[in-house]
């Protein structure tokens, strides 16, 4: 089976053509500068091709992807008809979508209705969908939502303690993001431990970071909220914050709420504390070289992640498994060790030797650790392809 996975942004579009059973990727690439000029980077058969192609809209970008996929030299299929279905990443499903679904008129309308909740992403995701529908009118299209995995949260986890009208009239509540990643690593953790009723805390730690508490494969709580600003500090996002801080900065410096929120999203997090970079590799390098601000940024990040792990162990009534994934979680042995420091009381014991691994699936806890600790590289594209294949079969 060939599934085309599409992740459409406002001026870029990533794609992968993959086999959902084996996870084999036959071609992948990126369209950039859509609406400006247009560039396609296509990787297939071990060769990378870069082409300047006019892309005034997402329609031309998808057409360029199709041309590359069927091209005699750089292509991997003979005709577009060999694509069995297309899986689209959609960021915000609001409280309308608790699972992936085949796209029809009602689903398009539902995604449009979620635009107020995901104003930056949903319009771009829709452009990708409509462009594919036009070029491949008979190929099934599936929407896979970043928020869907978290829809099993109980009300006490998702409701905000603010006046009810905002929930009832505007659907303001915790939604959470990175759901496709949390779902993928949960499925892997269940398979690796052989325990379907696993109590697991997933730490998706990248440039954006979120944690989830999952029991019996169902999400019970997650650290991001209505928007991805909530939770632990991130590359450039503040994470959880007293809302009074927004009022203070706005009043004292004459800034609008939008301006303050822009600072909290783009100029905060470990970038702000380290004063050096939003990239954990740079911060770790400088901390090792003796930069105290970088050391504090790393310690702050580890502290907040550790706090969430403790609170989620309480939410789950115990813990069987802890999972690290995404850029930092998969690659930084020192950050994993920092986070797990003093968590022995929860039954978490890391093996220093096993923890040295990078970017591969491995158990890093000691044999006598009550909680299994795993590094599981995430694969959101494969999860999208598998959900898509399951729906169209
Ligand atoms: P995004 O949220 O953009 O998908 P990623 O999951 O790709 O982010 O994670 C990016 C982060 O992972 C960057 O901060 C990067 O520094 C960090 N990272 C990648 N490799 C390493 C490493 N070997 N050690 C520490 N951090 C790393």
């Amino acid at each position: 089976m060939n599934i085309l996975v599409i992740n459409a942004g406002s001026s870029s579009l990533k794609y992968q053509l993959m086999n959902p059973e084996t996870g084999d990727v036959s071609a992948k690439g990126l369209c950039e500068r859509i609406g400006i000029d247009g560039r396609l980077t296509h990787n297939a058969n071990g060769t990378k091709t870069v082409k300047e192609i006019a892309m005034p809209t997402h329609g031309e970008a998808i057409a360029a992807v199709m041309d590359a996929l069927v091209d005699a030299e750089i292509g991997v299929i003979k005709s577009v008809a060999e694509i069995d279905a297309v899986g689209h990443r959609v960021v915000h499903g609001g409280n309308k979508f608790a699972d992936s679904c085949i796209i029809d008129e009602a689903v398009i309308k539902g995604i449009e209705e979620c635009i107020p909740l995901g104003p930056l992403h949903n319009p771009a995701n829709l452009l990708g969908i409509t462009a594919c529908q036009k070029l491949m009118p008979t190929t099934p299209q599936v929407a896979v939502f970043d928020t869907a995995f978290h829809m099993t949260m109980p009300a006490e986890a998702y409701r905000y303690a603010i006046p009810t009208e905002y929930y009832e009239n505007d659907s303001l509540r915790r939604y959470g993001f990175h759901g496709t990643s949390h779902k993928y690593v949960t499925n892997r953790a269940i398979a690796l431990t052989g325990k379907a009723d696993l109590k697991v805390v997933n730490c998706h730690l990248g440039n954006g970071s979120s944690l989830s508490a999952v029991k019996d494969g169902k999400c019970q709580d997650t650290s991001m909220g209505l928007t991805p600003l909530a939770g632990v500090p991130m590359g450039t996002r503040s994470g959880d914050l007293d809302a009074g801080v927004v009022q203070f900065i706005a009043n004292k410096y004459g800034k609008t709420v939008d301006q303050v929120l822009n600072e909290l999203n783009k100029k905060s997090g470990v970038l702000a504390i380290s004063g050096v970079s939003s990239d954990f590799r740079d911060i770790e390098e400088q901390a090792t070289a003796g930069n105290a601000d970088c050391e504090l940024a790393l310690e702050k990040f580890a502290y907040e992640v550790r706090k969430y792990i403790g609170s989620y162990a309480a939410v789950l009534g115990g813990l069987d498994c802890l999972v690290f994934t995404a850029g930092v979680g998969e690659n930084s042995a020192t950050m994993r060790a920092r986070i797990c420091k003093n968590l022995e009381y929860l039954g978490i014991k890391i093996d220093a030797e096993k923890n040295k691994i990078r970017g591969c699936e491995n158990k890093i806890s000691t044999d006598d650790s009550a909680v299994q600790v795993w590094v599981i590289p995430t694969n959101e594209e494969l999860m999208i392809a598998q959900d898509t294949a399951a729906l169209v079969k």
Side-chain angles (χ1 to χ4, degrees), residues 148-160:
F149 180 66
H150 305 304
M151 287 308 281
T152 48
M153 282 189 283
E156 63 269 29
Y158 71 68
R159 278 293 292 274
Y160 288 138

Side-chain angles (χ1 to χ4, degrees), residues 157-238:
Y158 71 68
R159 278 293 292 274
Y160 288 138
I162 60 173
T164 306
E165 67 224 46
Y166 297 119
Y167 173 66
E168 289 179 347
N169 299 341
D170 306 302
S171 309
L172 291 195
R173 47 160 282 180
R174 179 189 302 283
Y175 288 102
F177 298 88
H178 296 140
T180 309
S181 173
H182 287 284
K183 180 173 171 180
Y184 176 80
V185 296
T186 297
N187 289 351
R188 288 302 304 148
I190 288 172
L192 291 163
T193 58
K195 220 176 155 208
D197 60 351
L198 201 67
K199 293 173 180 171
V200 55
V201 170
N202 298 311
C203 307
H204 176 112
L205 310 177
N207 188 33
S209 296
S210 67
L211 285 87
S212 65
V214 181
K215 197 173 179 178
D216 301 331
K218 292 193 171 61
C219 181
Q220 304 298 314
D221 204 348
T222 190
S223 59
M224 285 179 166
L226 173 74
T227 76
L229 183 56
V232 296
M234 309 176 207
T236 63
R237 296 190 191 117
S238 63

Side-chain angles (χ1 to χ4, degrees), residues 2-7 13-19 23-30 42-43 65 69 76 83 85-87 379-385:
N2 283 318
I3 304 289
L4 179 64
V5 176
I6 298 281
N7 182 353
L13 184 151
K14 289 186 205 140
Y15 63 94
Q16 286 196 11
L17 188 68
M18 69 194 306
N19 178 326
D24 289 343
V25 177
S26 48
K28 66 175 179 180
L30 169 71
H42 180 79
N43 297 281
V65 172
L69 289 174
V76 289
I83 298 172
V86 185
N379 194 338
E380 288 162 278
E381 291 78 14
L382 179 57
M383 193 73 255
I384 292 174

Side-chain angles (χ1 to χ4, degrees), residues 72-203:
E73 277 174 30
I74 61 169
V76 289
I77 49 176
K78 289 199 177 64
S79 99
V80 172
E82 287 177 47
I83 298 172
D84 297 291
V86 185
H88 295 268
R89 176 186 183 219
V90 181
V91 170
H92 219 307
N95 56 13
K96 294 180 197 305
F97 299 103
D99 220 332
S100 305
C101 55
I102 294 185
I103 297 173
D104 57 17
E105 278 310 306
V107 170
I108 298 263
K109 193 162 170 284
I111 298 172
E112 280 169 356
E113 284 167 5
C114 294
I115 288 177
L117 300 171
L120 296 179
H121 295 103
N122 276 30
N125 302 151
L126 279 166
L127 289 172
I129 292 171
T130 43
C132 283
Q133 282 179 323
K134 269 197 195 133
L135 279 168
M136 296 180 274
T138 56
T139 310
Q141 315 276 329
V142 168
V144 179
F145 300 89
D146 266 20
T147 48
F149 180 66
H150 305 304
M151 287 308 281
T152 48
M153 282 189 283
E156 63 269 29
Y158 71 68
R159 278 293 292 274
Y160 288 138
I162 60 173
T164 306
E165 67 224 46
Y166 297 119
Y167 173 66
E168 289 179 347
N169 299 341
D170 306 302
S171 309
L172 291 195
R173 47 160 282 180
R174 179 189 302 283
Y175 288 102
F177 298 88
H178 296 140
T180 309
S181 173
H182 287 284
K183 180 173 171 180
Y184 176 80
V185 296
T186 297
N187 289 351
R188 288 302 304 148
I190 288 172
L192 291 163
T193 58
K195 220 176 155 208
D197 60 351
L198 201 67
K199 293 173 180 171
V200 55
V201 170
N202 298 311
C203 307

Side-chain angles (χ1 to χ4, degrees), residues 245-246 249-250 255-265:
V245 170
V246 177
I249 297 174
K255 294 186 176 178
T256 64
V257 170
D258 281 6
Q259 285 172 326
V260 180
L261 265 285
N262 191 47
E263 286 188 331
L264 297 181
N265 271 301

Side-chain angles (χ1 to χ4, degrees), residues 178 204-208 278-281 284 326-328 331-332 358:
H178 296 140
H204 176 112
L205 310 177
N207 188 33
S278 62
D279 192 300
F280 279 80
R281 276 166 296 200
E284 286 188 350
V328 179
N331 294 300
S332 177
R358 272 186 57 183

